[in-house]
Amino acid sequence: MTSTETLTLEVADTTAAHDFYAAFVPGTQVRLRASQAPTTGFRGCALSLTVPRPADVDALVGAALAAGATALKPASKSFWGYGGVVQAPDGTIWKVATSAKRDSGPATGRIDDLVLLLGVADVAESKRFYVAHGLAVARSFGSKYVEFATPSSPFKVALYGRRALAKDLGVPIDGTGSHRLVIGGDGGPFTDPDGFAWEAAAAAPAPTATA
């Protein structure tokens, strides 16, 4: 496996989810699929949008809240930059951030990177699992964070310790049931050590809706 190709969110109401994502991140390559799989609390993952300026963070967070999202962490400055965290009505958590601390102009409307953050029990073990499945490591910070190299893919995949990810997102670590997420790549299908499901992108069913 050398690439990630599709990212599907499983939602209870595809029409409502489509309306939300059309208002929040129109054009982002996120698929939607109907699911009633039981899930409670923290699902162990989040989607991160990297943007150029604080004004872009404010614009996206504002659009999400206006469309019905819940604020988990209001947009604010930190030692690493500026960002905020929201939870979509379907339960998906989104982090919006920039490394810039000062605005250099109005919002650009640009999203530089979409990163899928997988909260895992053992970063080193999951890293070995994914390397064995063909992914190359782009960045690695010991047992804390790993980002894989998928240059031709529409989104990146990164590993984060589950507890650390929950803390970063501002949510309790507890959660059970489905991740409500399916990743499509050129090496599926398989399930990773933390239960995240991958499917063969070429064989993936057409989405009910696309954001």
Side-chain angles (χ1 to χ4, degrees):
M1 179 171 65
T2 58
S3 68
T4 53
E5 300 175 29
T6 60
L7 180 59
T8 303
L9 302 179
E10 297 186 330
V11 301
D13 186 333
T14 55
T15 299
H18 180 273
D19 291 344
F20 171 79
Y21 289 113
F24 172 38
V25 282
T28 299
Q29 297 182 21
V30 175
R31 296 183 171 200
L32 304 172
R33 183 183 301 168
S35 174
Q36 298 294 333
T39 185
T40 63
F42 181 41
R43 297 178 186 173
C45 58
L47 288 165
S48 176
L49 299 172
T50 304
V51 296
R53 301 174 179 171
D56 291 300
V57 174
D58 290 336
L60 282 169
V61 169
L65 296 177
T70 301
L72 298 179
K73 277 190 173 181
S76 62
K77 289 183 180 179
S78 70
F79 71 91
W80 48 259
Y82 184 84
V85 181
V86 298
Q87 187 168 30
D90 64 81
T92 304
I93 297 176
W94 290 79
K95 179 179 179 179
V96 187
T98 176
S99 59
K101 295 185 180 182
R102 293 184 180 181
D103 258 328
S104 57
T108 65
R110 191 173 83 236
I111 295 173
D112 292 333
D113 284 308
L114 170 62
V115 184
L116 171 60
L117 300 172
L118 301 181
V120 300
D122 187 322
V123 173
E125 178 186 349
S126 293
K127 175 184 175 181
R128 287 192 293 270
F129 176 87
Y130 280 109
V131 168
H133 276 74
L135 287 182
V137 174
R139 294 193 296 166
S140 180
F141 299 94
S143 60
K144 298 183 181 298
Y145 180 84
V146 175
E147 185 178 295
F148 296 105
T150 52
S152 63
S153 302
F155 63 97
K156 299 178 180 179
V157 175
L159 307 177
Y160 215 142
R162 179 183 170 95
R163 183 175 299 278
L165 180 58
K167 181 178 180 180
D168 184 53
L169 299 172
V171 297
I173 191 174
D174 298 325
T176 62
S178 174
H179 295 296
R180 291 284 186 97
L181 173 78
V182 180
I183 313 153
D186 58 359
F190 61 85
T191 301
D192 83 354
D194 291 272
F196 290 104
W198 288 69
E199 63 189 6
T208 303
T210 304

